[in-house]
mmCIF file of all heavy atoms in Angstrom:
data_model
loop_
_atom_site.group_PDB
_atom_site.id
_atom_site.type_symbol
_atom_site.label_atom_id
_atom_site.label_comp_id
_atom_site.label_asym_id
_atom_site.label_seq_id
_atom_site.Cartn_x
_atom_site.Cartn_y
_atom_site.Cartn_z
ATOM 1 N N SER U 23 3.576 0.163 14.932
ATOM 2 C CA SER U 23 3.099 0.067 16.238
ATOM 3 C C SER U 23 1.649 -0.341 16.327
ATOM 4 O O SER U 23 1.040 -0.389 17.381
ATOM 5 C CB SER U 23 3.295 1.407 16.935
ATOM 6 O OG SER U 23 2.655 2.544 16.236
ATOM 7 N N ASP U 27 -0.736 -0.203 19.493
ATOM 8 C CA ASP U 27 -1.443 1.094 19.745
ATOM 9 C C ASP U 27 -2.859 1.113 19.110
ATOM 10 O O ASP U 27 -3.553 2.042 19.348
ATOM 11 C CB ASP U 27 -0.632 2.316 19.163
ATOM 12 C CG ASP U 27 -0.411 2.404 17.761
ATOM 13 O OD1 ASP U 27 -1.045 1.757 16.961
ATOM 14 O OD2 ASP U 27 0.425 3.191 17.227
ATOM 15 N N GLU U 82 1.332 1.301 9.519
ATOM 16 C CA GLU U 82 2.201 1.786 10.597
ATOM 17 C C GLU U 82 1.547 1.870 12.023
ATOM 18 O O GLU U 82 1.933 1.150 12.847
ATOM 19 C CB GLU U 82 2.902 3.034 10.232
ATOM 20 C CG GLU U 82 4.202 3.169 10.839
ATOM 21 C CD GLU U 82 4.905 4.555 10.364
ATOM 22 O OE1 GLU U 82 4.938 4.725 9.155
ATOM 23 O OE2 GLU U 82 5.230 5.260 11.203
ATOM 24 N N ASP U 83 0.704 2.846 12.178
ATOM 25 C CA ASP U 83 0.086 3.002 13.556
ATOM 26 C C ASP U 83 -1.332 3.326 13.508
ATOM 27 O O ASP U 83 -1.943 3.331 12.401
ATOM 28 C CB ASP U 83 0.859 4.129 14.239
ATOM 29 C CG ASP U 83 0.931 5.419 13.513
ATOM 30 O OD1 ASP U 83 -0.038 5.682 12.694
ATOM 31 O OD2 ASP U 83 1.818 6.177 13.735
ATOM 32 N N HIS U 85 -2.986 5.879 14.085
ATOM 33 C CA HIS U 85 -3.359 7.173 13.543
ATOM 34 C C HIS U 85 -3.515 7.111 11.993
ATOM 35 O O HIS U 85 -4.536 7.566 11.384
ATOM 36 C CB HIS U 85 -2.336 8.267 13.851
ATOM 37 C CG HIS U 85 -1.780 8.057 15.217
ATOM 38 N ND1 HIS U 85 -2.564 8.131 16.309
ATOM 39 C CD2 HIS U 85 -0.526 7.699 15.697
ATOM 40 C CE1 HIS U 85 -1.787 7.914 17.402
ATOM 41 N NE2 HIS U 85 -0.570 7.643 16.955
ATOM 42 N N ARG U 109 1.151 13.710 13.559
ATOM 43 C CA ARG U 109 0.942 12.488 14.403
ATOM 44 C C ARG U 109 1.625 12.727 15.668
ATOM 45 O O ARG U 109 1.258 12.153 16.765
ATOM 46 C CB ARG U 109 1.561 11.299 13.755
ATOM 47 C CG ARG U 109 0.602 10.718 12.787
ATOM 48 C CD ARG U 109 1.258 9.272 12.302
ATOM 49 N NE ARG U 109 2.389 9.639 11.549
ATOM 50 C CZ ARG U 109 3.378 8.711 11.373
ATOM 51 N NH1 ARG U 109 3.331 7.548 11.962
ATOM 52 N NH2 ARG U 109 4.443 8.981 10.698
ATOM 53 N N ASN U 110 2.575 13.654 15.674
ATOM 54 C CA ASN U 110 3.247 13.946 16.984
ATOM 55 C C ASN U 110 2.331 14.647 18.026
ATOM 56 O O ASN U 110 2.437 14.265 19.253
ATOM 57 C CB ASN U 110 4.441 14.962 16.839
ATOM 58 C CG ASN U 110 5.494 14.278 15.840
ATOM 59 O OD1 ASN U 110 5.378 13.084 15.629
ATOM 60 N ND2 ASN U 110 6.505 15.127 15.408
ATOM 61 N N VAL U 113 -0.620 11.800 18.737
ATOM 62 C CA VAL U 113 -0.218 10.650 19.671
ATOM 63 C C VAL U 113 -0.320 11.064 21.035
ATOM 64 O O VAL U 113 -0.727 10.301 21.986
ATOM 65 C CB VAL U 113 1.039 9.825 19.241
ATOM 66 C CG1 VAL U 113 2.243 10.651 19.533
ATOM 67 C CG2 VAL U 113 1.052 8.545 19.976
ATOM 68 N N ARG U 232 6.781 13.535 27.842
ATOM 69 C CA ARG U 232 6.196 12.276 28.299
ATOM 70 C C ARG U 232 6.120 12.116 29.782
ATOM 71 O O ARG U 232 6.005 11.119 30.424
ATOM 72 C CB ARG U 232 6.908 11.031 27.715
ATOM 73 C CG ARG U 232 6.757 10.847 26.219
ATOM 74 C CD ARG U 232 5.319 10.487 25.758
ATOM 75 N NE ARG U 232 5.160 10.364 24.376
ATOM 76 C CZ ARG U 232 4.962 11.402 23.512
ATOM 77 N NH1 ARG U 232 4.700 12.640 23.964
ATOM 78 N NH2 ARG U 232 4.818 11.175 22.235
ATOM 79 N N TYR U 317 9.967 15.674 19.121
ATOM 80 C CA TYR U 317 9.645 14.288 18.975
ATOM 81 C C TYR U 317 10.716 13.362 18.479
ATOM 82 O O TYR U 317 11.444 13.802 17.401
ATOM 83 C CB TYR U 317 8.378 14.042 18.082
ATOM 84 C CG TYR U 317 8.018 12.585 17.964
ATOM 85 C CD1 TYR U 317 7.131 12.023 18.933
ATOM 86 C CD2 TYR U 317 8.437 11.874 16.870
ATOM 87 C CE1 TYR U 317 6.803 10.691 18.760
ATOM 88 C CE2 TYR U 317 8.076 10.459 16.790
ATOM 89 C CZ TYR U 317 7.292 9.931 17.733
ATOM 90 O OH TYR U 317 6.904 8.560 17.640
ATOM 91 N N LYS U 319 11.380 9.023 17.516
ATOM 92 C CA LYS U 319 10.666 7.765 17.398
ATOM 93 C C LYS U 319 10.819 6.946 18.607
ATOM 94 O O LYS U 319 10.013 6.110 18.926
ATOM 95 C CB LYS U 319 11.059 6.962 16.215
ATOM 96 C CG LYS U 319 10.202 5.720 15.879
ATOM 97 C CD LYS U 319 8.874 6.112 15.260
ATOM 98 C CE LYS U 319 8.108 4.894 14.734
ATOM 99 N NZ LYS U 319 7.371 5.086 13.607
ATOM 100 N N MET U 321 10.183 7.616 21.364
ATOM 101 C CA MET U 321 9.050 7.790 22.307
ATOM 102 C C MET U 321 7.886 6.933 22.042
ATOM 103 O O MET U 321 6.982 6.677 22.876
ATOM 104 C CB MET U 321 8.595 9.276 22.174
ATOM 105 C CG MET U 321 9.589 10.229 22.783
ATOM 106 S SD MET U 321 9.566 11.878 22.124
ATOM 107 C CE MET U 321 8.184 12.470 23.034
ATOM 108 N N GLN U 322 7.855 6.192 20.816
ATOM 109 C CA GLN U 322 6.854 5.224 20.621
ATOM 110 C C GLN U 322 6.946 4.020 21.584
ATOM 111 O O GLN U 322 5.996 3.317 21.793
ATOM 112 C CB GLN U 322 7.033 4.595 19.201
ATOM 113 C CG GLN U 322 6.065 3.590 18.802
ATOM 114 C CD GLN U 322 6.152 3.388 17.280
ATOM 115 O OE1 GLN U 322 5.652 4.173 16.450
ATOM 116 N NE2 GLN U 322 6.681 2.203 16.849
ATOM 117 N N ASP U 324 6.841 4.240 24.534
ATOM 118 C CA ASP U 324 6.122 4.543 25.848
ATOM 119 C C ASP U 324 4.932 3.639 25.987
ATOM 120 O O ASP U 324 4.478 3.309 27.097
ATOM 121 C CB ASP U 324 5.701 6.044 25.983
ATOM 122 C CG ASP U 324 4.748 6.374 24.805
ATOM 123 O OD1 ASP U 324 4.497 5.676 23.873
ATOM 124 O OD2 ASP U 324 4.269 7.630 24.895
ATOM 125 N N LYS U 325 4.391 3.141 24.810
ATOM 126 C CA LYS U 325 3.057 2.577 24.858
ATOM 127 C C LYS U 325 3.010 1.228 25.514
ATOM 128 O O LYS U 325 2.138 0.916 26.387
ATOM 129 C CB LYS U 325 2.429 2.599 23.547
ATOM 130 C CG LYS U 325 1.853 3.955 23.205
ATOM 131 C CD LYS U 325 1.375 4.064 21.888
ATOM 132 C CE LYS U 325 1.760 5.454 21.329
ATOM 133 N NZ LYS U 325 3.188 5.699 21.288
HETATM 134 N N1 LIG J 1 3.367 5.774 16.311
HETATM 135 C C1 LIG J 1 3.993 6.901 16.808
HETATM 136 C C2 LIG J 1 4.241 6.944 18.266
HETATM 137 O O1 LIG J 1 3.593 6.186 18.848
HETATM 138 C C3 LIG J 1 3.133 8.084 16.418
HETATM 139 C C4 LIG J 1 3.912 9.411 16.158
HETATM 140 C C5 LIG J 1 4.779 9.221 15.057
HETATM 141 N N2 LIG J 1 5.378 10.464 14.510
HETATM 142 C C6 LIG J 1 6.391 10.412 13.742
HETATM 143 N N3 LIG J 1 6.708 11.529 13.353
HETATM 144 N N4 LIG J 1 6.938 9.334 13.221
HETATM 145 O O2 LIG J 1 5.009 7.687 18.769
#
Side-chain angles (χ1 to χ4, degrees):
S23 56
D27 67 15
E82 211 174 304
D83 54 28
H85 325 296
R109 277 184 296 152
N110 296 352
V113 72
R232 289 295 178 273
Y317 179 85
K319 188 77 171 213
M321 290 155 77
Q322 179 168 289
D324 62 354
K325 276 169 221 68

